[in-house]
Amino acid sequence: PMHAFDLARLNGGIEVRMAAAEEPLTLLDGQEVALRDDTLVIADEKGPLAIAGVMGGEGSGVNAETRDIFFESAFFAPLSVAGKARSYGLHTDSSHRFERGVDAQLQRDAIERATALLLEITGGKPGPIIEVASDAALPKAAVVSLSGASVERTLGMALPDDEIVEILERLGMQVAANGDSQWQVTVPSWRFDVSIEADLIEELARIHGYNNLPVSRPNARLAPAMANETTQPLTSLRRQLVARGYQEAISYSFVAPELQKTLDPHGVAPALANPISSDMAVMRSSLLPGLVKALSHNLNRQQSRVRLFETGLVFRGELDSLEQTPMIGGLITGARLPEGWNGGRDKVDFFDLKGDVEALLALGGNLDAWRFEAAEHPALHPGQCAQLFFNGEPAGWMGALHPAARAELGLKVEVFVFEITLASACAGRLPRFAPLSKYPEVRRDLAFVVEEGVHVQSLLDAIRSQAGEWLTDLRLFDVYQGQGVADGHKSLALGLTWQHPSRTLNDEEINQLVDAIVTDGHTRFGAALRA
């Protein structure tokens, strides 16, 4: 990369130096920047003219009135210019090249060629070349030792000595024999990526042909790893969600600050000092920003029924106290069933998502260790939000996106999301054999009328505490509000099943348990049996 200055607009000679703090410079694109003292600049006696290796300044740029041109062709060490362009919100061809390295011996040839082209096209007279260089600072030609034994050991095959020499010389390298199957290889300046023996062997493999290298498999005595039956593998969780119609998404760990603030306003995550772009400037404190971005991408391409999940790390806290937590999250929107002649057009709701989450958590065989409790989350709908607890400890969230959040994100459809700590989702119970009873089951259906604010889970817990050790199933099969039920109340229909392992239960025993359940429900929740 080269830069052209208008010679008439320069003040005295030019120099390469570090900028002074807050030193102003107007760039060629019209942007005004306040330079930092860690930025290398090209300057004249009056002030900075360009950010070295990035972009020139407007005040010394070539324009329609220019008559005399001053060419600058330089070598900048990659570390001296790395990240400077992005730190000023820039990305140029020059910074792209210099950050990755250029040939340190090409500058004189480049300026001669540019001058010849200019004279050929426009005419004029060439001026003198002024060269300023420090031999100590410029990279030296690398001299690397190579042995045939190392080539054979690394590639798994021996290459003939004459082929090794031929390949390296065809790549512009100077090869000098240093004994039997030993060489000293001088690397040309334009191959600054070659510095050690392994680099040379990589070049030999590339030119010889990877497809021509032998395939061998290592032999080892490996003991099979013991399977931990109390932990569900991640593959099982993935298969379960895929079986329920989800597709796995893989998003960046970097997200836009605005998007993260909308979906996780209380989350604290580190900001990147050198972000790839402005919309990937902070580490994610939740999986939801990446999933919502993927959802928007699909909705914009006419995919109205979307079910996505993702697993990965989230980052919470400052750098000195950073916590990295594996999570699993997902979202659903659109129709409950795929389009078809026998399928309805109902939209998904909170309970569709809850069913998917319960099916996921049930893989561990300890669904009774989980609790769903109504709660409030700033990004979730206050009436459709639940916090998940595992063995009494917070383990995740689920619910509908808040309408305000949807409006801010430009989503016109209802979206339901969940996010759970992966360690809790993978935790399971050791399977144990339990004999099947040969005696008949006894079932009773009870319909309780309770106030609308009573949580079903609390009622179920109370029933289990009174139902005795032989209760094998407790199921909520209907929730009703309307005619026959007082305003502000709801009817909960429950199915209770008992079974004794060694004898038949009689009606008297069951009636005593039912009476205890009804009495406790009335005392604790004001529940009454529905007439």
Side-chain angles (χ1 to χ4, degrees):
M2 297 176 57
H3 188 68
F5 296 94
D6 186 338
L7 184 61
R9 303 171 76 180
L10 302 182
N11 294 276
I14 66 167
E15 62 175 339
V16 181
R17 62 172 174 82
M18 303 304 292
E22 300 298 321
E23 198 169 13
L25 175 63
T26 302
L27 300 172
L28 284 173
D29 61 358
Q31 178 182 345
E32 294 186 4
V33 297
L35 299 171
R36 301 187 306 274
D37 57 7
D38 64 346
T39 303
L40 194 65
V41 296
I42 311 297
D44 61 9
E45 295 177 357
K46 188 176 179 181
L49 304 172
I51 300 178
V54 179
M55 184 182 288
E58 188 178 60
S60 59
V62 174
N63 57 38
E65 306 300 323
T66 299
R67 292 296 176 266
D68 298 297
I69 290 177
F70 179 84
F71 275 135
E72 171 246 332
S73 179
F75 169 79
F76 300 111
L79 289 179
S80 68
V81 296
K84 294 298 185 292
R86 283 194 295 273
S87 69
Y88 289 104
L90 302 170
H91 180 78
T92 63
D93 291 339
S94 178
S95 66
H96 185 89
R97 291 287 305 282
F98 276 121
E99 287 180 348
R100 288 156 178 78
V102 299
D103 184 356
Q105 303 298 323
L106 191 62
Q107 287 66 39
R108 176 176 282 274
D109 292 340
I111 205 166
E112 292 280 15
R113 178 59 177 155
T115 302
L117 286 172
L118 188 64
L119 295 178
E120 179 183 334
I121 296 169
T122 68
K125 296 180 180 180
I129 292 179
I130 302 172
E131 184 173 4
V132 178
S134 170
D135 292 337
L138 287 175
K140 300 294 188 296
V143 179
V144 183
S145 298
L146 176 67
S147 70
S150 296
V151 174
E152 182 176 2
R153 182 174 60 254
T154 305
L155 301 185
M157 65 175 294
L159 292 179
D161 290 359
D162 56 350
E163 183 179 355
I164 292 176
V165 173
E166 180 194 9
I167 289 175
L168 296 178
E169 288 181 342
R170 284 161 54 198
L171 294 174
M173 303 181 188
Q174 298 177 13
V175 183
N178 190 25
D180 188 23
S181 296
Q182 301 279 339
W183 303 273
Q184 290 293 110
V185 182
T186 303
V187 181
S189 60
W190 66 84
R191 289 304 305 267
F192 42 83
D193 59 318
V194 176
S195 58
I196 59 176
E197 186 179 49
D199 296 332
L200 293 175
I201 297 174
E202 181 182 3
E203 294 300 299
L204 293 173
R206 182 173 65 88
I207 301 302
H208 179 75
Y210 296 124
N211 56 310
N212 295 320
L213 298 179
V215 176
S216 60
R217 294 174 177 82
N219 295 320
R221 294 181 178 273
L222 302 176
M226 182 180 295
N228 185 355
E229 296 185 71
T230 62
T231 301
Q232 289 298 312
L234 181 56
T235 52
S236 296
L237 304 185
R238 286 172 171 154
R239 288 194 189 105
Q240 178 72 305
L241 290 173
V242 169
R244 299 183 73 86
Y246 287 73
Q247 292 183 325
E248 185 172 10
I250 300 176
S251 62
Y252 285 103
S253 298
F254 319 129
V255 297
E258 302 79 12
L259 180 59
Q260 181 140 290
K261 186 176 181 181
T262 300
L263 296 171
D264 190 17
H266 300 321
V268 178
L272 300 181
N274 189 21
I276 298 173
S277 62
S278 59
D279 61 347
M280 300 174 70
V282 297
M283 303 295 289
R284 65 185 180 191
S285 61
S286 166
L287 296 178
L288 298 184
L291 288 168
V292 168
K293 188 174 181 180
L295 170 65
S296 298
H297 185 86
N298 280 272
L299 293 176
N300 291 338
R301 284 152 182 81
Q302 295 77 50
Q303 301 300 310
S304 59
R305 185 177 186 269
V306 181
R307 291 169 177 250
L308 298 173
F309 78 94
E310 182 176 11
T311 61
L313 292 174
V314 300
F315 308 86
R316 297 190 177 106
E318 302 296 345
L319 284 175
D320 56 351
S321 59
L322 187 63
E323 294 182 3
Q324 303 181 58
T325 308
M327 305 288 287
I328 182 169
L331 59 79
I332 60 174
T333 188
R336 176 172 291 138
L337 299 173
E339 185 178 9
W341 63 271
N342 62 340
R345 297 186 177 181
D346 296 342
K347 300 294 184 182
V348 293
D349 58 24
F350 177 88
F351 295 103
D352 289 298
L353 182 69
K354 187 170 185 286
D356 292 340
V357 171
E358 286 185 328
L360 183 70
L361 302 180
L363 291 175
N366 58 346
L367 191 58
D368 54 348
W370 288 88
R371 288 291 181 271
F372 295 77
E373 296 186 6
E376 291 188 4
H377 187 285
L380 300 180
H381 194 296
Q384 301 184 59
C385 173
Q387 187 172 12
L388 280 67
F389 291 85
F390 180 65
N391 289 328
E393 296 294 326
W397 291 87
M398 62 165 289
L401 274 187
H402 197 289
R406 287 197 289 113
E408 191 170 339
L409 298 171
L411 299 173
K412 298 180 181 180
V413 295
E414 278 198 300
V415 181
F416 300 88
V417 301
F418 73 88
E419 188 172 23
I420 308 169
T421 57
L422 192 58
S424 302
C426 289
R429 178 182 295 163
L430 186 67
R432 295 184 182 278
F433 171 75
L436 296 176
S437 174
K438 63 181 180 180
Y439 295 94
E441 295 179 340
V442 179
R443 171 163 172 149
R444 294 286 188 272
D445 291 347
L446 303 175
F448 287 105
V449 177
V450 297
E451 292 183 358
E452 192 174 3
V454 173
H455 293 163
V456 174
Q457 186 64 60
S458 301
L459 180 61
L460 296 179
D461 291 340
I463 290 174
R464 284 193 177 92
S465 68
Q466 298 294 326
E469 60 181 312
W470 305 317
L471 182 73
T472 58
D473 190 32
L474 174 58
R475 191 177 301 274
L476 172 71
F477 63 85
D478 185 49
V479 179
Y480 173 75
Q481 288 178 286
Q483 186 177 358
V485 177
D487 292 341
H489 289 70
K490 58 186 176 182
S491 170
L492 305 175
L494 304 167
L496 294 86
T497 303
W498 288 270
Q499 188 177 35
H500 199 284
S502 59
R503 62 180 178 85
T504 300
L505 295 170
N506 57 52
D507 287 344
E508 183 180 350
E509 291 173 310
I510 299 301
N511 290 338
Q512 288 179 354
L513 294 173
V514 170
D515 290 342
I517 290 170
V518 173
T519 301
D520 185 65
H522 179 73
T523 302
R524 296 174 61 177
F525 305 101
L529 287 177
R530 183 179 173 190

